[in-house]
Amino acid sequence: MKIQLSILFTKIKENIKWLVLLIILSILCLILFKTNNIGVSRIKDFLILINYPNFSKTNNFSLIVGIYNIVLFIYLGYLYYTYEFTYSVENIIIRTEEKKWFINKNLVFFLYTLIFTIINTLLIYIYFYGKFEFKVEYLYMPLIFRILIFQTSIIIFNNIKSHDYIFLLLTLLLFAFIVRPNCILGLCFIAINFIINYLTFNIKKILK
């Protein structure tokens, strides 16, 4: 677990400039709202900025920031997950049980996702405070969305490397959640994704 935390912190430090850019873009977006006297009607922009699955018409700049947020999340997740494959794959093969490695990898990134989602959502809501009521779903829906994205990303990596194509099914689950965001449905998809990821993870097949 400590090793995975160290890897995650290393990847965050190496890419801190992109996180700073996200903060700058988010601030600029909020300044734009203030300049244009945007209030309650911009709850849709708030949802986009926190990565709440939402296809409603929104401001183009907030959409760009929301997409950048997701792309950066996927990028950091990919760098973190593939670290050992790039620098020390023998640690998985020789020194660690691959299933235990997989669980630790997912658990650490889940904790990062949880902390990031809470901070990101609450900081952005500060601007909108008093303009509309805060709902708990503003925390758990973006969290579920990000976890599904991470799970789908890693199974795509694993399956492409091992020449399996079950990731196509799991990608459909992600799209189903985006089209019809629902907490229970999302949690079920997370459980299905994790079980399939866990059962199909095979380091030898991936390294072929």
Side-chain angles (χ1 to χ4, degrees):
M1 185 74 75
K2 290 181 180 179
I3 293 175
Q4 296 307 323
L5 283 170
S6 176
I7 292 172
L8 179 60
F9 288 142
T10 298
K11 288 296 140 187
I12 290 175
K13 285 191 290 185
E14 288 177 355
N15 295 275
I16 194 68
K17 60 184 177 182
W18 305 120
L19 286 168
V20 171
L21 179 58
L22 174 62
I23 294 172
I24 293 173
L25 289 174
S26 298
I27 292 173
L28 288 175
C29 194
L30 296 178
I31 290 174
L32 178 65
F33 294 163
K34 191 178 182 78
T35 302
N36 288 276
N37 196 27
I38 295 172
V40 179
S41 63
R42 304 323 299 175
I43 186 173
K44 296 175 183 177
D45 294 292
F46 168 73
L47 296 179
I48 289 293
L49 289 175
I50 65 172
N51 290 149
Y52 187 108
N54 175 39
F55 281 105
S56 301
K57 186 177 180 181
T58 184
N59 178 276
N60 290 334
F61 191 57
S62 60
L63 180 61
I64 292 172
V65 176
I67 292 174
Y68 176 76
N69 193 332
I70 284 294
V71 171
L72 179 59
F73 176 79
I74 294 173
Y75 178 65
L76 287 175
Y78 173 81
L79 292 178
Y80 163 71
Y81 182 75
T82 60
Y83 180 86
E84 284 93 341
F85 293 100
T86 306
Y87 298 105
S88 55
V89 72
E90 67 277 1
N91 286 339
I92 312 175
I93 301 174
I94 300 173
R95 303 175 188 176
T96 310
E97 294 178 19
E98 61 178 32
K99 299 296 186 180
K100 182 179 179 182
W101 174 89
F102 182 81
I103 291 175
N104 287 340
K105 204 76 172 173
N106 277 267
L107 181 58
V108 168
F109 202 75
F110 168 77
L111 292 174
Y112 161 74
T113 305
L114 175 64
I115 293 170
F116 176 83
T117 299
I118 292 173
I119 294 174
N120 182 65
T121 301
L122 294 182
L123 285 180
I124 292 177
Y125 182 73
I126 289 174
Y127 170 83
F128 295 94
Y129 181 76
K131 296 182 173 69
F132 56 84
E133 181 183 356
F134 183 84
K135 299 178 181 178
V136 180
E137 67 181 271
Y138 296 156
L139 290 172
Y140 66 72
M141 290 299 281
L143 176 62
I144 292 173
F145 183 41
R146 290 189 177 104
I147 292 174
L148 282 173
I149 287 175
F150 175 68
Q151 290 180 325
T152 305
S153 300
I154 63 175
I155 201 165
I156 288 175
F157 173 82
N158 293 341
N159 282 193
I160 288 178
K161 288 284 187 178
S162 59
H163 305 290
D164 293 328
Y165 297 98
I166 195 170
F167 73 87
L168 295 173
L169 171 62
L170 300 187
T171 303
L172 289 176
L173 294 183
L174 174 60
F175 279 114
F177 176 74
I178 294 174
V179 173
R180 286 196 172 273
N182 177 278
C183 177
I184 303 300
L185 193 64
L187 292 175
C188 290
F189 287 169
I190 287 175
I192 292 171
N193 269 329
F194 179 80
I195 292 171
I196 294 178
N197 267 318
Y198 180 80
L199 294 177
T200 60
F201 180 76
N202 187 315
I203 190 65
K204 293 179 180 178
K205 288 181 68 176
I206 294 173
L207 295 175
K208 279 184 180 180

